[in-house]
Amino acid sequence: MSVNQSRLLLPEPLGVLQISELTSGMGEKRKQQLYFSLVVPTYNEAANIQKLIGILSQTLDEVIPSGDYELIVVDDDSPDGTWKVAQSLMTEYPQLRVMRRQHERGLSSAVIRGWQVAKGEILGVIDGDLQHPPHVLLQLLHAIEQGADLAVASRHVEGGGVSSWSLQRRFLSRGAQLLGLIILPQVVGRVSDPMSGYFLVRRSAIANVTLHPIGYKILLEVMGRGRIKRIAEVGYVFCERQGGESKVTWKQYADYIRHLLRLRFSTGRMGKFSQEHSSFPVGRFIRFSLVGLSGVFVDMAVLYLLSDPTTLGLPLTRSKIIAGEVAIFNNFLWNDAWTFADVSLQQQQWHQRLKRFLKFNIICLAGLMLNVLVLNLVFNFVIHNRYIANLIAIASATIWNFWVNLKLSWRVTQVK
Ligand code: GDD
Ligand code: MN
């Protein structure tokens, strides 16, 4: 094979994030299957990549004879030219393949794109900065050979740990894990280190599954959408970075929460519900509810200011109606600018906006009447606590308000 050929970059897959099965017997284009494919996602790892590839090759050559493995560096067009350094190593390490992505960015999608072009029955991912000790791969491979569908390197089992993480990073990592246990217990609860970015998975467990990751947590996506029955964990110590710096910012934490919610509403019981009611716009309802939540605070604050004996002490119903109206106005502004922005941006005229507000108000006033009715029923006959009764009343009015406003107020009325 000529030097040029041996340094050819991999084509960059685009489109659906889905890994195919290995098909044997494809005639002359038969895809050579491999035992193991390890993806190394990189962004500005020029200082680390040569040492890592050397150690990985030496480690795997010892246990996987005749080079039945491949290392796939997936670089997002790093400004420090990581992909070029990796490409220069290809002649020395025949198992090394390199992809330079120029149309997409992101750790999770980089890993999946690498797995899409991989030929291994076992797929893996390891960071490109030497923070994940390569020797742990041998135990992970052993776990897969013993029948696990997924083998995760974990900092939180026997033999695991982190070198010298700041208290803030430890707190953030554990906090993120706790949040995951609340939002997505059936996934996050399956492993001790759901934040791990170092694991192996059987191709058959994730083949033909469309993945929709956000941000860094590719493991969540694999566990959330894959056919993962048996999971093994291997302890490892998350090492100090030797060169370059972490790319983790607040955006990764925000992405993590969005990722949890997306998985929550597209897998498990909630997923089935939203699939069955796929016409139900879950994302819009979440935004409408968050706006409604801001309205709850406005409603409660005005109700307190007007009706509490320690403030103005006005009658409960009159206070409630004023509080409700102030909250309706607050909610309209937010819904028009955020929840239904895609629709309201097409109807920017003042008379259109006024029409929407009047419709919204009428629907919400009907919702307010429902709210007052439920408040009085619950307060007088069920729970004699005005604030809990008010919350129940608000929840019932929210569902009414969302559904009717969705159908009537924010509609794109095509003017023929
Ligand atoms: N291709 C690509 N694109 N690679 C990326 C990107 C990107 O947008 N962002 C980061 N990477 C690569 C880095 O070059 C590194 O090899 C690896 O992904 C991890 O990135 P870091 O920025 O070093 O993350 P970290 O060390 O703070 O956290 C890592 O380890 C944790 C524990 O396993 C990440 O893997 C976390 O997801 C993980 O929880
Ligand atoms: Mn790192």
Side-chain angles (χ1 to χ4, degrees):
M1 181 178 6
S2 70
V3 172
N4 279 344
Q5 261 183 327
S6 68
R7 295 173 58 167
L8 271 179
L9 294 177
L10 286 165
E12 178 185 351
L14 292 171
V16 177
L17 288 165
Q18 196 176 88
I19 292 117
S20 60
E21 279 161 349
L22 281 178
T23 43
S24 47
M26 281 177 19
E28 71 294 339
K29 281 197 298 165
R30 179 182 156 72
K31 240 171 148 190
Q32 185 227 355
Q33 293 195 9
L34 291 172
Y35 169 64
F36 178 44
S37 301
L38 182 65
V39 167
V40 184
T42 58
Y43 192 72
N44 285 341
E45 300 299 351
N48 298 311
I49 195 66
Q50 177 161 7
K51 185 174 176 189
L52 174 71
I53 297 300
I55 298 172
L56 285 175
S57 302
Q58 190 192 358
T59 307
L60 293 173
D61 283 344
E62 279 162 24
V63 288
I64 303 179
S66 65
D68 196 12
Y69 71 89
E70 61 186 346
L71 303 174
I72 302 174
V73 169
V74 179
D75 183 66
D76 283 2
D77 210 11
S78 298
D80 75 354
T82 305
W83 63 273
K84 250 186 260 166
V85 176
Q87 187 180 30
S88 69
L89 300 170
M90 289 169 76
T91 26
E92 186 183 353
Y93 300 101
Q95 269 65 45
L96 175 60
R97 303 168 73 197
V98 180
M99 185 191 300
R100 175 193 183 187
R101 294 206 306 169
Q102 294 175 291
H103 302 94
E104 274 182 330
R105 259 222 64 180
L107 172 51
S108 294
S109 65
V111 174
I112 297 167
R113 294 303 184 197
W115 288 343
Q116 277 183 302
V117 300
K119 299 176 182 164
E121 291 153 55
I122 302 172
L123 304 173
V125 52
I126 187 171
D127 284 358
D129 55 13
L130 290 156
Q131 289 195 278
H132 292 160
H135 69 270
V136 172
L137 278 174
L138 309 185
Q139 293 158 275
L140 293 171
L141 281 168
H142 180 67
I144 297 285
E145 280 160 2
Q146 296 298 307
D149 300 308
L150 176 68
V152 181
S154 168
R155 294 161 292 180
H156 308 312
V157 293
E158 186 60 35
V162 289
S163 52
S164 57
W165 257 14
S166 65
L167 208 59
Q168 184 208 2
R169 187 74 198 264
R170 288 172 194 259
F171 176 75
L172 281 171
S173 180
R174 283 309 205 168
Q177 186 171 355
L178 180 64
L179 192 63
L181 286 169
I182 295 165
I183 297 178
L184 204 63
Q186 73 281 18
V187 172
V188 174
R190 295 189 69 186
V191 290
S192 62
D193 187 1
M195 304 298 127
S196 178
Y198 188 12
F199 61 89
L200 309 188
V201 61
R202 268 185 204 291
R203 175 191 288 268
S204 56
I206 53 173
N208 303 325
V209 173
T210 303
L211 301 168
H212 300 280
I214 305 177
Y216 262 43
K217 303 306 167 194
I218 176 67
L219 177 58
L220 281 187
E221 193 65 11
V222 164
M223 290 200 296
R225 297 188 199 273
R227 295 175 289 272
I228 308 291
K229 293 190 195 67
R230 284 183 56 187
I231 299 178
E233 293 192 276
V234 174
Y236 85 100
V237 177
F238 187 71
C239 310
E240 254 315 279
R241 228 182 201 280
Q242 297 183 13
E245 71 271 337
S246 168
K247 267 62 79 181
V248 170
T249 61
W250 283 103
K251 181 178 174 319
Q252 270 68 42
Y253 288 98
D255 284 346
Y256 168 66
I257 295 169
R258 277 174 53 221
H259 193 183
L260 285 173
L261 289 172
R262 177 185 286 185
L263 276 171
R264 184 85 186 85
F265 285 105
S266 59
T267 59
R269 273 199 306 277
M270 279 300 256
K272 262 196 220 68
F273 173 83
S274 57
Q275 256 127 40
E276 278 143 30
H277 304 74
S278 52
S279 59
F280 187 83
V282 176
R284 211 188 278 280
F285 182 68
I286 292 175
R287 294 198 296 271
F288 189 88
S289 304
L290 289 174
V291 168
L293 191 63
S294 75
V296 171
F297 290 107
V298 171
D299 186 300
M300 286 289 200
V302 176
L303 185 74
Y304 167 72
L305 290 174
L306 295 177
S307 77
D308 199 278
T310 58
T311 53
L312 297 178
L314 295 179
L316 181 65
T317 299
R318 195 182 319 163
S319 308
K320 172 64 197 171
I321 290 170
I322 298 168
E325 187 50 44
V326 173
I328 286 174
F329 188 62
N330 165 78
N331 293 2
F332 174 74
L333 294 179
W334 284 107
N335 281 320
D336 207 43
W338 183 43
T339 313
F340 298 97
D342 54 324
V343 178
S344 50
L345 286 175
Q346 297 178 46
Q347 304 169 18
Q348 290 275 16
Q349 308 287 332
W350 272 107
H351 72 277
Q352 290 171 320
R353 198 190 287 267
L354 182 63
K355 203 168 135 200
R356 282 200 301 277
F357 174 63
L358 292 175
K359 279 192 205 171
F360 181 75
N361 213 332
I362 293 165
I363 292 164
C364 290
L365 280 177
L368 182 59
M369 279 188 270
L370 174 70
N371 199 328
V372 170
L373 183 68
V374 171
L375 169 68
N376 281 286
L377 285 174
V378 173
F379 182 70
N380 295 310
F381 302 107
V382 184
I383 305 173
H384 199 64
N385 174 310
R386 69 182 69 220
Y387 298 112
I388 295 176
N390 196 28
L391 280 178
I392 295 169
I394 290 168
S396 51
T398 301
I399 292 164
W400 154 272
N401 288 343
F402 174 70
W403 195 247
V404 181
N405 276 302
L406 177 74
K407 295 297 172 202
L408 296 183
S409 309
W410 278 279
R411 303 180 58 77
V412 183
T413 39
Q414 301 298 348
V415 180
K416 295 281 177 264

